[in-house]
Amino acid sequence: MSTAYDVIIIGSGPGGYVTAIRAAQLGLKTAIVEREHLGGICLNWGCIPTKALLRSAEILDHANHAKSYGLTLNGTMTAEVKDVVARSRGVSARLNGGVAFLMKKNKIDVIWGEAKLTKPNEIVVGKMTKPVVEPQNPVPKGVKGEGTYTAKHIIVATGARPRALPGIEPDGKLIWTYFEAMKPDFMPKSLVVMGSGAIGIEFASFYRSMGVDVTVVELMANVMPVEDAEISAFARKQLEKRGLKIITEAKVSKVDKGANSITAHVETKDGKVQQITADRLISAVGVQGNIENLGLEALGVKTDRGCIVIDGYGKTNVPGLYAIGDVAGPPMLAHKAEHEGVICIEKIAGLPNVHPMDKAKIPGCTYCNPQVASVGLTEAKAKAEGRDIRVGRYSFAANGKAIALGEDQGMIKTIFDKKTGELIGAHMVGAEVTELIQGFVVAMNLETTEEELMHTIFPHPTLSEMMKESVLDAYGKVLNA
């Protein structure tokens, strides 16, 4: 077996495996190194299985409100945690197998083990220090493993892991990360969720739908702090209507562990402390890049705040070495990793007109109930930049499709540069907005003006009509409000 390649990619998450496929398409001899399971965190423990859990919760929510749809359910709707989890794990297993198929289809060598950079253009692969856990299919016999491998280009795509706060480190029993939260062996009666970013608020939403008493503690003034303040406030009101307890401008300063419960000491900005006892605590205070034990220091690779420093094409300061995805810094999103990987490999291959990553046009989605999605500048950031702006808003309550769906609580907000008509931000909260946001992402990439959006015909009846109405509202031309 050859050990020399054009490209070796360390890590097979969405960034890694997509980059490998694109490299193979461009005729580059490619290998990918994986220490645990194909698909990385996203397919196995993140994006995909959480959406499966949230789908089960959504169905349960609809069933519990069947009468509002003119329906009567005969019998009792119950939620068995083992069955909900089993479905989620099955979804991951299916996609995990799909990645294995894509590697074989594109003639990409999979090297199983722990990779370490030993010198420029060389790695040494050791034993798999992590066990192969489900849903990973068994490692096929005869595949490549331990050894020394060389490549003209090495791309680090090792992803990230949950961040831990000193003194409140997850223990897998009473203090959970998303790993334990995704695969509970029982349904707790009460939970404290520490952090209200996408991970924290999605789990809070899921467990609340499953009947759990949930308290969210957030250090910042708003839930989902990266979102537009108006959208965040709307989402908070809806989450609280569903029974979530939310404490903002507060931190968990200490956790006392009982035999089968925790007591969180929650300190507010005025210094007051309240104690909240719950069955479990989910730590969702962010993630940090997996940069340890890669040999970065020996090669002099520049890092910053736990991430590898790169340029717009994924290049590090060491020739022939690149990084993409979460390990290369925020926003830590699967779709950012994929696109970043394609940019990196196309630049390596010498394709013309390869553009660097434009982080202003990366959409963000949170799949709680209600959903939240956004792209571009918030209203506050636009004003802070000194932009003269127009802001449009449109309510789900005025949309026929939303009313028919029984999903009339939501809002779409658009932000335009007043001088140029450029769409510089779009923010949504409500049903299916994670699907709608891409319309505005495409518009921003095409440098579409407000006039072109106004002249675009949106189908009726759809939720997407609200996107146009929001644009019209920004210019005093709203029709259905």
Side-chain angles (χ1 to χ4, degrees):
M1 283 186 177
S2 172
T3 58
Y5 294 89
D6 294 317
V7 178
I8 291 177
I9 300 155
I10 305 173
S12 71
Y17 86 75
V18 167
T19 304
I21 292 170
R22 186 66 183 123
Q25 289 174 345
L26 292 170
L28 299 172
K29 185 180 179 184
T30 305
I32 197 162
V33 185
E34 177 54 55
R35 68 180 182 180
E36 188 173 3
H37 42 230
L38 291 172
I41 292 296
C42 178
L43 264 64
N44 295 284
W45 296 103
C47 318
I48 301 302
T50 54
K51 304 313 160 282
L53 293 176
L54 287 161
R55 178 61 169 166
S56 295
E58 181 183 24
I59 298 298
L60 182 60
D61 279 335
H62 287 320
N64 288 335
H65 296 89
K67 285 192 175 181
S68 66
Y69 293 92
L71 302 172
T72 300
L73 291 179
N74 295 320
T76 303
M77 173 69 73
T78 60
E80 296 292 339
V81 63
K82 63 178 177 55
D83 296 331
V84 171
V85 169
R87 177 181 181 272
S88 171
R89 304 318 300 160
V91 169
S92 285
R94 177 176 171 180
L95 289 170
N96 174 270
V99 175
F101 167 78
L102 289 171
M103 296 300 97
K104 184 176 180 180
K105 174 186 174 183
N106 288 280
K107 297 180 174 57
I108 297 163
D109 286 345
V110 177
I111 303 169
W112 292 99
E114 190 97 16
K116 187 169 186 177
L117 298 156
T118 48
K119 53 185 169 182
N121 309 109
E122 181 184 278
I123 64 169
V124 170
V125 177
K127 291 182 180 179
M128 298 177 72
T129 57
K130 282 190 171 185
V132 177
V133 296
E134 60 92 16
Q136 169 63 42
N137 299 316
V139 178
K141 292 181 180 180
V143 299
K144 295 188 178 183
E146 297 173 65
T148 300
Y149 301 86
T150 61
K152 299 172 186 174
H153 309 277
I154 297 174
I155 302 173
V156 180
T158 48
R161 65 186 185 280
R163 186 182 300 278
L165 296 183
I168 317 178
E169 292 87 357
D171 59 11
K173 181 185 176 185
L174 297 174
I175 301 178
W176 292 350
T177 66
Y178 53 72
F179 290 102
E180 294 81 25
M182 198 169 299
K183 194 184 173 186
D185 53 7
F186 78 107
M187 188 57 65
K189 292 182 179 179
S190 55
L191 270 177
V192 172
V193 178
M194 191 168 62
S196 74
I199 293 172
I201 213 69
E202 286 182 6
F203 277 118
S205 183
F206 166 72
Y207 278 101
R208 182 66 203 128
S209 292
M210 301 298 284
V212 178
D213 183 10
V214 180
T215 300
V216 178
V217 182
E218 169 56 50
L219 184 63
M220 306 300 287
N222 300 319
V223 294
M224 293 174 277
V226 300
E227 300 296 343
D228 183 89
E230 190 174 3
I231 297 296
S232 172
F234 190 103
R236 176 174 184 166
K237 186 179 293 185
Q238 296 305 310
L239 290 166
E240 289 177 332
K241 279 184 179 180
R242 295 184 56 228
L244 277 171
K245 301 180 186 72
I246 299 173
I247 306 171
T248 49
E249 296 183 284
K251 65 179 180 180
V252 177
S253 58
K254 178 183 174 185
V255 175
D256 297 328
K257 295 181 182 181
N260 199 31
S261 66
I262 59 93
T263 298
H265 296 247
V266 179
E267 182 180 340
T268 55
K269 67 174 182 177
D270 57 9
K272 294 180 180 179
V273 178
Q274 67 176 111
Q275 295 183 13
I276 302 173
T277 298
D279 292 340
R280 297 292 184 270
L281 181 144
I282 297 176
S283 178
V285 291
V287 297
Q288 61 190 79
N290 291 320
I291 63 171
E292 298 82 5
N293 304 315
L294 284 170
L296 300 177
E297 299 86 356
L299 292 184
V301 180
K302 188 181 294 185
T303 63
D304 181 40
R305 287 175 289 184
C307 294
I308 298 172
V309 177
I310 61 170
D311 68 5
Y313 300 99
K315 288 184 180 180
T316 72
N317 62 308
V318 175
L321 185 65
Y322 311 78
I324 62 167
D326 290 359
V327 77
M332 293 181 175
L333 302 167
H335 45 279
K336 174 257 193 183
E338 292 185 14
H339 192 70
E340 199 165 40
V342 171
I343 289 172
C344 179
I345 204 67
E346 290 186 349
K347 188 70 172 177
I348 286 171
L351 269 61
N353 303 316
V354 179
H355 299 289
M357 172 77 73
D358 184 354
K359 292 186 177 181
K361 295 183 177 67
I362 301 174
C365 297
T366 305
Y367 299 81
C368 51
N369 183 4
Q371 294 180 6
V372 175
S374 61
V375 64
L377 298 176
T378 63
E379 183 177 357
K381 285 183 179 178
K383 288 178 177 177
E385 289 185 4
R387 306 285 285 263
D388 192 9
I389 61 174
R390 287 181 177 270
V391 179
R393 300 172 180 83
Y394 197 77
S395 172
F396 274 50
N399 176 262
K401 180 67 178 292
I403 295 169
L405 290 174
E407 302 279 7
D408 64 348
Q409 295 302 302
M411 179 175 69
I412 293 182
K413 179 176 181 178
T414 46
I415 303 169
F416 291 87
D417 186 289
K418 189 180 288 186
K419 294 179 182 178
T420 65
E422 177 191 5
L423 176 65
I424 58 175
H427 308 272
M428 306 177 174
V429 55
E432 300 304 326
V433 297
T434 58
E435 297 292 339
L436 296 178
I437 192 64
Q438 190 59 24
F440 282 135
V441 178
V442 171
M444 289 176 69
N445 273 278
L446 294 176
E447 299 181 347
T448 306
T449 66
E450 92 289 353
E451 184 176 356
E452 290 165 325
L453 286 167
M454 289 179 190
H455 287 135
T456 299
I457 299 172
F458 286 73
H460 173 81
T462 62
L463 297 176
S464 67
E465 292 174 278
M466 293 185 287
M467 297 166 67
K468 181 175 181 177
E469 292 283 4
S470 179
V471 175
L472 291 170
D473 183 62
Y475 289 83
K477 298 179 181 181
V478 66
L479 297 171
N480 289 288

